[in-house]
Amino acid sequence: MKRQNLKQRKVKTDDAPPEQAIASGEAQPDLFDDEVDGESKHTRLTLMEEVLLLGMKDREGYTSFWNDCISSGLRGCMLIELGLRGKIALEDTGMRKRSLASRKVVLKDKADRPCGDVLLDEALRHIRSCPPECVQDWIELLSGETWNPLKMRYQLRNVRERLAKNLVEKGVLTTEKQNFYLFDMTIHPVTDAAVKERVVKKVQDTVLSKWQNETNRIDKRSLALIYMAHASDVLENAFAALSDDDYELAMKRVRDLLDCEPDIECTKQNTNEVLWAVAAAFLK
């Protein structure tokens, strides 16, 4: 991504201009640091929302009942989102060479500022209040997959429903009640198909028209979306409309990405260690 394409979004508050709020010492919500001109005029989605949207059935308004991967995948998305926003990083190894899997997650200076997203801020509070853990442990803790009853309090609950409500507030989904004979279920059909189509096209373009042979030349958010959509078992949904030839080429390039060695890729320029640490946790 070229630096000249980057811009900073202006933050507005109800009570005072940003300058006055900063001068008064109020914490300001963080911005998307890598926002692109072409995307800023559209609905801005977090990585978690993009992955959930890929897995959401347009008319039915829910994810597949048989998908047992998306829960941990969404927790991985949160860690990458925090890493891309500069909130968390991996501990420094100094002169020692250590694998991504063995390095602990640490908070950065920007972690003191709220993200402006309830789930991300909640995840940050958990990371702040817990002794340092590695990325794999944090995915399990945030998912509630731990045998330690003292650490169950770090679980993030109702993540899919809360993300769906975020998308409802952004006008992408709507909320309805569906009767399933024995019980009623809240569903969230897609109302703004253009937003989902942009996410689908983003995935397709990453492995087709905008493909780069070196991972560090691929947009970090797009790269993260590929890895986490695969980890959440929703990547195939983005390729459903492709022709046979494009599908084969896209899947070949996805396999190339999955064959990458995260411990090597993270040492290249313009990379994010948290992104590769999360990828490594799901690729092992």
Side-chain angles (χ1 to χ4, degrees):
M1 182 183 296
K2 297 182 179 180
R3 296 298 299 179
Q4 57 263 34
N5 288 336
L6 303 184
K7 76 171 188 176
Q8 188 176 35
R9 178 187 297 172
K10 295 181 180 180
V11 181
K12 296 181 180 180
T13 59
D14 294 335
D15 299 327
E19 295 81 2
Q20 295 180 15
I22 293 173
S24 63
E26 296 179 10
Q28 295 298 301
D30 203 20
L31 307 177
F32 286 105
D33 294 326
D34 57 351
E35 186 171 39
V36 183
D37 288 346
E39 293 184 358
S40 61
K41 58 189 176 185
H42 299 306
T43 302
R44 198 67 166 88
L45 304 180
T46 63
L47 183 60
M48 306 89 71
E49 292 166 347
E50 289 179 328
V51 169
L52 180 68
L53 201 53
L54 286 176
M56 191 74 73
K57 299 176 184 291
D58 289 6
R59 295 183 180 178
E60 292 86 344
Y62 52 83
T63 56
S64 173
F65 292 124
W66 312 110
N67 189 338
D68 57 356
C69 302
I70 196 169
S71 178
S72 58
L74 291 174
R75 272 67 175 188
C77 289
M78 292 181 195
L79 295 177
I80 293 178
E81 186 74 41
L82 291 172
L84 292 178
R85 295 191 186 197
K87 302 293 188 180
I88 62 174
L90 300 185
E91 62 181 345
D92 188 14
T93 60
M95 298 296 293
R96 299 172 57 190
K97 186 176 180 180
R98 293 170 54 190
S99 67
L100 291 171
S102 66
R103 295 167 64 184
K104 308 293 185 183
V105 174
V106 295
L107 295 173
K108 300 186 72 174
D109 293 339
K110 290 179 65 176
D112 293 334
R113 297 168 56 192
C115 298
D117 181 280
V118 175
L119 280 170
L120 292 178
D121 287 334
E122 186 176 343
L124 266 182
R125 286 196 299 272
H126 288 325
I127 295 173
R128 183 178 291 108
S129 63
C130 179
E133 301 280 0
C134 65
V135 163
Q136 177 66 55
D137 290 339
W138 269 118
I139 293 173
E140 294 175 355
L141 288 174
L142 295 176
S143 302
E145 299 174 359
T146 175
W147 292 101
N148 187 343
L150 298 178
K151 292 188 175 183
M152 286 298 295
R153 62 193 178 95
Y154 298 120
Q155 179 184 5
L156 294 177
R157 302 180 184 277
N158 304 317
V159 168
R160 267 179 273 190
E161 181 62 25
R162 293 163 72 180
L163 287 173
K165 289 181 177 179
N166 286 351
L167 290 170
V168 170
E169 292 176 358
K170 293 179 179 181
V172 182
L173 306 179
T174 187
T175 302
E176 298 177 3
K177 289 288 186 180
Q178 177 72 46
N179 182 271
F180 284 89
Y181 300 106
L182 297 178
F183 60 93
D184 289 335
M185 177 179 173
T186 301
I187 61 174
H188 301 283
V190 176
T191 55
D192 192 341
V195 174
K196 182 170 183 178
E197 182 57 34
R198 280 197 295 271
V199 177
V200 170
K201 191 174 188 304
K202 180 179 179 180
V203 174
Q204 295 174 353
D205 288 348
T206 301
V207 293
L208 291 174
S209 63
K210 296 182 180 179
W211 171 252
Q212 300 288 339
N213 289 320
E214 294 293 332
T215 58
N216 62 325
R217 297 177 62 186
I218 301 175
D219 170 65
K220 288 190 283 291
R221 283 190 174 274
S222 299
L223 182 65
L225 181 56
I226 296 290
Y227 276 111
M228 298 320 299
H230 178 269
S232 303
D233 197 20
V234 299
L235 184 59
E236 284 276 348
N237 298 347
F239 297 151
L242 293 178
S243 65
D244 291 344
D245 290 343
D246 283 346
Y247 177 82
E248 290 182 10
L249 180 58
M251 291 306 299
K252 175 185 180 299
R253 287 172 173 171
V254 168
R255 288 192 294 271
D256 290 342
L257 290 176
L258 298 179
D259 288 339
C260 289
E261 179 53 56
D263 283 297
I264 295 177
E265 298 299 324
C266 74
T267 61
K268 298 179 180 179
Q269 292 183 344
N270 191 37
T271 59
N272 184 279
E273 289 185 329
V274 175
L275 188 163
W276 284 111
V278 173
F282 286 100
L283 290 175
K284 67 176 185 177

